[in-house]
Every structure is written in structure tokens, then in C-alpha cells.
Amino acid sequence: MEQKERCVCRRKHREAPEERGMMNRLNRIEGQIRGIKAMVENERYCVDILIQVAAVQAALNSFSKVLLEHHIKSCVVDDIKSGDSDATVEELCRLLQKLMR
């Protein structure tokens, strides 16, 4: 079976509750980043900044887990049902390798 090349411009419609939840998480992360920037500008102690950086990393990891779950339950399942299982599984494996670096 010939492997179909994936277009990097694929799109995904999200229902309003899912999109709203994702945007809320991203807005909180953005606020945390602005807070870290202010801490640097205000010459805050390194340890305090590092603790906030760890909090941002944890928030991004949490966002990624939720997004990955939605991706598997929707995009991956839909592609497999449409008969595109080989390419879909390969794409998912590549994604997981990148996420686990």
C-alpha cells in the first residue's frame, strides 16, 4: 500500500466547549509567561523565577496531554475508520517520538 503524504495544512474543527477550554488554558499560560517576564524585569530572585518556569512547563504539558487525547479520540479514530490506518499510525508514532524528547 502506497503511503499517502500528509499535508501540513490540515485543519481540525473543534466544538465550542473544546475550543473554549483550550483557549482558557492558553490564556492562563500566556499570563504566566508575562508574569515571568515581569519577574525578570523586576530583578526577582532566580529560584522564584525558576519555580514559575516549572509551573508554565507543567501547564504546557497538561495542555499537550489534553490536546493529544482529543487528537487520538477524533482525528486518529476518524482516519482509521476511513481506511487510512497505516499513515495515521505512522504519523502518531512520529508525533509521540517528538513529544517524548
Side-chain angles (χ1 to χ4, degrees):
M1 176 190 265
E2 184 177 304
Q3 186 175 9
K4 181 168 75 172
E5 191 64 31
R6 294 277 182 186
C7 175
V8 294
C9 59
R10 291 178 71 184
R11 300 177 63 87
K12 163 74 168 115
H13 171 75
R14 291 176 178 81
E15 297 299 324
E18 178 185 351
E19 182 178 347
R20 191 170 36 255
M22 292 174 71
M23 295 306 293
N24 286 341
R25 284 174 179 266
L26 290 171
N27 287 334
R28 282 194 301 272
I29 292 167
E30 183 179 32
Q32 288 176 296
I33 296 292
R34 283 194 305 270
I36 291 170
K37 183 178 177 185
M39 291 175 79
V40 171
E41 291 170 343
N42 294 327
E43 300 180 349
R44 293 283 300 271
Y45 187 55
C46 300
V47 172
D48 296 335
I49 297 170
L50 288 167
I51 290 170
Q52 292 307 308
V53 169
V56 169
Q57 288 172 328
L60 281 170
N61 285 339
S62 178
F63 176 84
S64 293
K65 288 175 189 175
V66 169
L67 183 56
L68 179 60
E69 179 182 354
H70 285 277
H71 175 65
I72 291 169
K73 289 181 177 179
S74 61
C75 302
V76 172
V77 169
D78 291 345
D79 285 353
I80 289 172
K81 285 180 180 177
S82 73
D84 196 15
S85 61
D86 291 340
T88 301
V89 170
E90 183 60 35
E91 179 185 62
L92 181 59
C93 288
R94 284 193 311 271
L95 172 64
L96 292 173
Q97 288 173 350
K98 287 180 182 180
L99 292 176
M100 296 174 96
R101 287 185 185 165

